[in-house]
Amino acid sequence: MNEGLIPRRYAKALYLVARERGVATDIYEKMKTLERNFMEFPQLGDSLNNPYISLADKALLIGSAVASPDGKNDSTLSDFIKLLEKNRRIGMMRGIGAAYVDIYRELHDIYSVRVESAAPLSASEENRLKKMIQNHLGGGVMEYEMNVDPSLIGGFTVSVGNEKIDASVSNELKQLRLNLISK
């Protein structure tokens, strides 16, 4: 069975239960927190895949990785983590979290937009770019993230889901080099 299919099914089930209980948005925020924690602490994924760590300890680890700063415990997510532990699927939590975020965004018309520029943009330039992106998207909600990457040399890149627009000098130089090599 496809490794991506199982996490998506669990994520869809979690979304349906969360929506029924009125906590779908809270779970969405927790799944984004979980993904940030996986990115920031790669050992989290290593721990989930370690056969010497008990399922109960892995469940506790996931619970702490999605814990709210206010300390509120979400029974829907706690029940879900227990289900994963029981079904021996706790190692799939990263994939399930990512699938949940994708499902939520798709159903709520939310776009994750990541902009990288070679240098910081002025407020007016950034607002102009946001308007251009919003027009391109044709509506919906934009979750906007801006980063500076000096390796771009000049220009910027915009990523919206799987779509990427690369208007950087480094990309232009790479294209020029490839054209020269191919001749």
mmCIF file with all atom_site columns, all heavy atoms in Angstrom, residues 158-173:
data_model
loop_
_atom_site.group_PDB
_atom_site.id
_atom_site.type_symbol
_atom_site.label_atom_id
_atom_site.label_alt_id
_atom_site.label_comp_id
_atom_site.label_asym_id
_atom_site.label_entity_id
_atom_site.label_seq_id
_atom_site.pdbx_PDB_ins_code
_atom_site.Cartn_x
_atom_site.Cartn_y
_atom_site.Cartn_z
_atom_site.occupancy
_atom_site.B_iso_or_equiv
_atom_site.pdbx_formal_charge
_atom_site.auth_seq_id
_atom_site.auth_comp_id
_atom_site.auth_asym_id
_atom_site.auth_atom_id
_atom_site.pdbx_PDB_model_num
ATOM 1   N N   . VAL A 1 158 ? 9.274  33.055 -5.513  1.00 0.00 ? 158 VAL A N   1
ATOM 2   C CA  . VAL A 1 158 ? 7.971  32.937 -4.860  1.00 0.00 ? 158 VAL A CA  1
ATOM 3   C C   . VAL A 1 158 ? 7.524  31.490 -5.014  1.00 0.00 ? 158 VAL A C   1
ATOM 4   O O   . VAL A 1 158 ? 7.477  30.964 -6.119  1.00 0.00 ? 158 VAL A O   1
ATOM 5   C CB  . VAL A 1 158 ? 6.919  33.870 -5.508  1.00 0.00 ? 158 VAL A CB  1
ATOM 6   C CG1 . VAL A 1 158 ? 5.559  33.683 -4.851  1.00 0.00 ? 158 VAL A CG1 1
ATOM 7   C CG2 . VAL A 1 158 ? 7.358  35.319 -5.443  1.00 0.00 ? 158 VAL A CG2 1
ATOM 8   N N   . SER A 1 159 ? 7.202  30.857 -3.887  1.00 0.00 ? 159 SER A N   1
ATOM 9   C CA  . SER A 1 159 ? 6.692  29.485 -3.900  1.00 0.00 ? 159 SER A CA  1
ATOM 10  C C   . SER A 1 159 ? 5.275  29.487 -3.349  1.00 0.00 ? 159 SER A C   1
ATOM 11  O O   . SER A 1 159 ? 5.040  29.977 -2.251  1.00 0.00 ? 159 SER A O   1
ATOM 12  C CB  . SER A 1 159 ? 7.567  28.574 -3.044  1.00 0.00 ? 159 SER A CB  1
ATOM 13  O OG  . SER A 1 159 ? 8.889  28.561 -3.516  1.00 0.00 ? 159 SER A OG  1
ATOM 14  N N   . VAL A 1 160 ? 4.358  28.932 -4.132  1.00 0.00 ? 160 VAL A N   1
ATOM 15  C CA  . VAL A 1 160 ? 2.967  28.775 -3.715  1.00 0.00 ? 160 VAL A CA  1
ATOM 16  C C   . VAL A 1 160 ? 2.639  27.301 -3.929  1.00 0.00 ? 160 VAL A C   1
ATOM 17  O O   . VAL A 1 160 ? 2.468  26.865 -5.060  1.00 0.00 ? 160 VAL A O   1
ATOM 18  C CB  . VAL A 1 160 ? 2.002  29.653 -4.530  1.00 0.00 ? 160 VAL A CB  1
ATOM 19  C CG1 . VAL A 1 160 ? 0.576  29.455 -4.065  1.00 0.00 ? 160 VAL A CG1 1
ATOM 20  C CG2 . VAL A 1 160 ? 2.404  31.110 -4.462  1.00 0.00 ? 160 VAL A CG2 1
ATOM 21  N N   . GLY A 1 161 ? 2.605  26.550 -2.841  1.00 0.00 ? 161 GLY A N   1
ATOM 22  C CA  . GLY A 1 161 ? 2.390  25.112 -2.961  1.00 0.00 ? 161 GLY A CA  1
ATOM 23  C C   . GLY A 1 161 ? 3.520  24.497 -3.768  1.00 0.00 ? 161 GLY A C   1
ATOM 24  O O   . GLY A 1 161 ? 4.688  24.655 -3.438  1.00 0.00 ? 161 GLY A O   1
ATOM 25  N N   . ASN A 1 162 ? 3.181  23.820 -4.856  1.00 0.00 ? 162 ASN A N   1
ATOM 26  C CA  . ASN A 1 162 ? 4.186  23.182 -5.712  1.00 0.00 ? 162 ASN A CA  1
ATOM 27  C C   . ASN A 1 162 ? 4.666  24.089 -6.836  1.00 0.00 ? 162 ASN A C   1
ATOM 28  O O   . ASN A 1 162 ? 5.513  23.696 -7.625  1.00 0.00 ? 162 ASN A O   1
ATOM 29  C CB  . ASN A 1 162 ? 3.618  21.890 -6.319  1.00 0.00 ? 162 ASN A CB  1
ATOM 30  C CG  . ASN A 1 162 ? 3.355  20.843 -5.279  1.00 0.00 ? 162 ASN A CG  1
ATOM 31  O OD1 . ASN A 1 162 ? 4.003  20.815 -4.236  1.00 0.00 ? 162 ASN A OD1 1
ATOM 32  N ND2 . ASN A 1 162 ? 2.391  19.980 -5.539  1.00 0.00 ? 162 ASN A ND2 1
ATOM 33  N N   . GLU A 1 163 ? 4.109  25.269 -6.933  1.00 0.00 ? 163 GLU A N   1
ATOM 34  C CA  . GLU A 1 163 ? 4.454  26.210 -7.996  1.00 0.00 ? 163 GLU A CA  1
ATOM 35  C C   . GLU A 1 163 ? 5.565  27.134 -7.511  1.00 0.00 ? 163 GLU A C   1
ATOM 36  O O   . GLU A 1 163 ? 5.535  27.623 -6.391  1.00 0.00 ? 163 GLU A O   1
ATOM 37  C CB  . GLU A 1 163 ? 3.209  27.031 -8.338  1.00 0.00 ? 163 GLU A CB  1
ATOM 38  C CG  . GLU A 1 163 ? 3.358  27.929 -9.510  1.00 0.00 ? 163 GLU A CG  1
ATOM 39  C CD  . GLU A 1 163 ? 2.067  28.702 -9.803  1.00 0.00 ? 163 GLU A CD  1
ATOM 40  O OE1 . GLU A 1 163 ? 1.034  28.415 -9.182  1.00 0.00 ? 163 GLU A OE1 1
ATOM 41  O OE2 . GLU A 1 163 ? 2.127  29.593 -10.647 1.00 0.00 ? 163 GLU A OE2 1
ATOM 42  N N   . LYS A 1 164 ? 6.567  27.368 -8.370  1.00 0.00 ? 164 LYS A N   1
ATOM 43  C CA  . LYS A 1 164 ? 7.666  28.250 -7.986  1.00 0.00 ? 164 LYS A CA  1
ATOM 44  C C   . LYS A 1 164 ? 7.996  29.186 -9.142  1.00 0.00 ? 164 LYS A C   1
ATOM 45  O O   . LYS A 1 164 ? 8.165  28.749 -10.276 1.00 0.00 ? 164 LYS A O   1
ATOM 46  C CB  . LYS A 1 164 ? 8.907  27.444 -7.598  1.00 0.00 ? 164 LYS A CB  1
ATOM 47  C CG  . LYS A 1 164 ? 10.030 28.313 -7.091  1.00 0.00 ? 164 LYS A CG  1
ATOM 48  C CD  . LYS A 1 164 ? 11.160 27.479 -6.535  1.00 0.00 ? 164 LYS A CD  1
ATOM 49  C CE  . LYS A 1 164 ? 12.223 28.370 -5.939  1.00 0.00 ? 164 LYS A CE  1
ATOM 50  N NZ  . LYS A 1 164 ? 13.284 27.590 -5.298  1.00 0.00 ? 164 LYS A NZ  1
ATOM 51  N N   . ILE A 1 165 ? 8.089  30.456 -8.798  1.00 0.00 ? 165 ILE A N   1
ATOM 52  C CA  . ILE A 1 165 ? 8.502  31.478 -9.759  1.00 0.00 ? 165 ILE A CA  1
ATOM 53  C C   . ILE A 1 165 ? 9.875  31.944 -9.317  1.00 0.00 ? 165 ILE A C   1
ATOM 54  O O   . ILE A 1 165 ? 10.046 32.397 -8.183  1.00 0.00 ? 165 ILE A O   1
ATOM 55  C CB  . ILE A 1 165 ? 7.509  32.661 -9.778  1.00 0.00 ? 165 ILE A CB  1
ATOM 56  C CG1 . ILE A 1 165 ? 6.120  32.168 -10.181 1.00 0.00 ? 165 ILE A CG1 1
ATOM 57  C CG2 . ILE A 1 165 ? 7.998  33.762 -10.705 1.00 0.00 ? 165 ILE A CG2 1
ATOM 58  C CD1 . ILE A 1 165 ? 5.015  33.159 -9.912  1.00 0.00 ? 165 ILE A CD1 1
ATOM 59  N N   . ASP A 1 166 ? 10.845 31.801 -10.196 1.00 0.00 ? 166 ASP A N   1
ATOM 60  C CA  . ASP A 1 166 ? 12.220 32.147 -9.843  1.00 0.00 ? 166 ASP A CA  1
ATOM 61  C C   . ASP A 1 166 ? 12.674 33.335 -10.683 1.00 0.00 ? 166 ASP A C   1
ATOM 62  O O   . ASP A 1 166 ? 12.978 33.203 -11.859 1.00 0.00 ? 166 ASP A O   1
ATOM 63  C CB  . ASP A 1 166 ? 13.144 30.953 -10.073 1.00 0.00 ? 166 ASP A CB  1
ATOM 64  C CG  . ASP A 1 166 ? 14.510 31.126 -9.437  1.00 0.00 ? 166 ASP A CG  1
ATOM 65  O OD1 . ASP A 1 166 ? 14.908 32.286 -9.186  1.00 0.00 ? 166 ASP A OD1 1
ATOM 66  O OD2 . ASP A 1 166 ? 15.179 30.117 -9.200  1.00 0.00 ? 166 ASP A OD2 1
ATOM 67  N N   . ALA A 1 167 ? 12.682 34.510 -10.068 1.00 0.00 ? 167 ALA A N   1
ATOM 68  C CA  . ALA A 1 167 ? 13.121 35.741 -10.729 1.00 0.00 ? 167 ALA A CA  1
ATOM 69  C C   . ALA A 1 167 ? 14.414 36.218 -10.074 1.00 0.00 ? 167 ALA A C   1
ATOM 70  O O   . ALA A 1 167 ? 14.587 37.397 -9.794  1.00 0.00 ? 167 ALA A O   1
ATOM 71  C CB  . ALA A 1 167 ? 12.036 36.798 -10.636 1.00 0.00 ? 167 ALA A CB  1
ATOM 72  N N   . SER A 1 168 ? 15.329 35.277 -9.830  1.00 0.00 ? 168 SER A N   1
ATOM 73  C CA  . SER A 1 168 ? 16.579 35.621 -9.155  1.00 0.00 ? 168 SER A CA  1
ATOM 74  C C   . SER A 1 168 ? 17.721 35.707 -10.158 1.00 0.00 ? 168 SER A C   1
ATOM 75  O O   . SER A 1 168 ? 17.699 35.074 -11.212 1.00 0.00 ? 168 SER A O   1
ATOM 76  C CB  . SER A 1 168 ? 16.915 34.583 -8.084  1.00 0.00 ? 168 SER A CB  1
ATOM 77  O OG  . SER A 1 168 ? 17.182 33.335 -8.684  1.00 0.00 ? 168 SER A OG  1
ATOM 78  N N   . VAL A 1 169 ? 18.721 36.468 -9.797  1.00 0.00 ? 169 VAL A N   1
ATOM 79  C CA  . VAL A 1 169 ? 19.914 36.603 -10.640 1.00 0.00 ? 169 VAL A CA  1
ATOM 80  C C   . VAL A 1 169 ? 20.659 35.271 -10.694 1.00 0.00 ? 169 VAL A C   1
ATOM 81  O O   . VAL A 1 169 ? 21.163 34.877 -11.746 1.00 0.00 ? 169 VAL A O   1
ATOM 82  C CB  . VAL A 1 169 ? 20.821 37.741 -10.114 1.00 0.00 ? 169 VAL A CB  1
ATOM 83  C CG1 . VAL A 1 169 ? 22.143 37.761 -10.855 1.00 0.00 ? 169 VAL A CG1 1
ATOM 84  C CG2 . VAL A 1 169 ? 20.115 39.083 -10.249 1.00 0.00 ? 169 VAL A CG2 1
ATOM 85  N N   . SER A 1 170 ? 20.709 34.553 -9.582  1.00 0.00 ? 170 SER A N   1
ATOM 86  C CA  . SER A 1 170 ? 21.413 33.267 -9.576  1.00 0.00 ? 170 SER A CA  1
ATOM 87  C C   . SER A 1 170 ? 20.771 32.294 -10.565 1.00 0.00 ? 170 SER A C   1
ATOM 88  O O   . SER A 1 170 ? 21.468 31.540 -11.247 1.00 0.00 ? 170 SER A O   1
ATOM 89  C CB  . SER A 1 170 ? 21.452 32.665 -8.177  1.00 0.00 ? 170 SER A CB  1
ATOM 90  O OG  . SER A 1 170 ? 20.158 32.368 -7.719  1.00 0.00 ? 170 SER A OG  1
ATOM 91  N N   . ASN A 1 171 ? 19.444 32.313 -10.693 1.00 0.00 ? 171 ASN A N   1
ATOM 92  C CA  . ASN A 1 171 ? 18.765 31.458 -11.671 1.00 0.00 ? 171 ASN A CA  1
ATOM 93  C C   . ASN A 1 171 ? 19.095 31.905 -13.092 1.00 0.00 ? 171 ASN A C   1
ATOM 94  O O   . ASN A 1 171 ? 19.315 31.075 -13.966 1.00 0.00 ? 171 ASN A O   1
ATOM 95  C CB  . ASN A 1 171 ? 17.253 31.484 -11.439 1.00 0.00 ? 171 ASN A CB  1
ATOM 96  C CG  . ASN A 1 171 ? 16.531 30.550 -12.387 1.00 0.00 ? 171 ASN A CG  1
ATOM 97  O OD1 . ASN A 1 171 ? 16.866 29.382 -12.485 1.00 0.00 ? 171 ASN A OD1 1
ATOM 98  N ND2 . ASN A 1 171 ? 15.547 31.077 -13.097 1.00 0.00 ? 171 ASN A ND2 1
ATOM 99  N N   . GLU A 1 172 ? 19.118 33.211 -13.329 1.00 0.00 ? 172 GLU A N   1
ATOM 100 C CA  . GLU A 1 172 ? 19.469 33.716 -14.658 1.00 0.00 ? 172 GLU A CA  1
ATOM 101 C C   . GLU A 1 172 ? 20.879 33.300 -15.051 1.00 0.00 ? 172 GLU A C   1
ATOM 102 O O   . GLU A 1 172 ? 21.136 32.900 -16.187 1.00 0.00 ? 172 GLU A O   1
ATOM 103 C CB  . GLU A 1 172 ? 19.339 35.244 -14.700 1.00 0.00 ? 172 GLU A CB  1
ATOM 104 C CG  . GLU A 1 172 ? 17.920 35.762 -14.581 1.00 0.00 ? 172 GLU A CG  1
ATOM 105 C CD  . GLU A 1 172 ? 17.053 35.355 -15.751 1.00 0.00 ? 172 GLU A CD  1
ATOM 106 O OE1 . GLU A 1 172 ? 17.540 35.325 -16.903 1.00 0.00 ? 172 GLU A OE1 1
ATOM 107 O OE2 . GLU A 1 172 ? 15.872 35.055 -15.512 1.00 0.00 ? 172 GLU A OE2 1
ATOM 108 N N   . LEU A 1 173 ? 21.812 33.376 -14.100 1.00 0.00 ? 173 LEU A N   1
ATOM 109 C CA  . LEU A 1 173 ? 23.189 32.959 -14.371 1.00 0.00 ? 173 LEU A CA  1
ATOM 110 C C   . LEU A 1 173 ? 23.266 31.461 -14.656 1.00 0.00 ? 173 LEU A C   1
ATOM 111 O O   . LEU A 1 173 ? 24.000 31.020 -15.542 1.00 0.00 ? 173 LEU A O   1
ATOM 112 C CB  . LEU A 1 173 ? 24.104 33.327 -13.197 1.00 0.00 ? 173 LEU A CB  1
ATOM 113 C CG  . LEU A 1 173 ? 24.349 34.818 -12.995 1.00 0.00 ? 173 LEU A CG  1
ATOM 114 C CD1 . LEU A 1 173 ? 25.097 35.055 -11.686 1.00 0.00 ? 173 LEU A CD1 1
ATOM 115 C CD2 . LEU A 1 173 ? 25.116 35.401 -14.171 1.00 0.00 ? 173 LEU A CD2 1
#
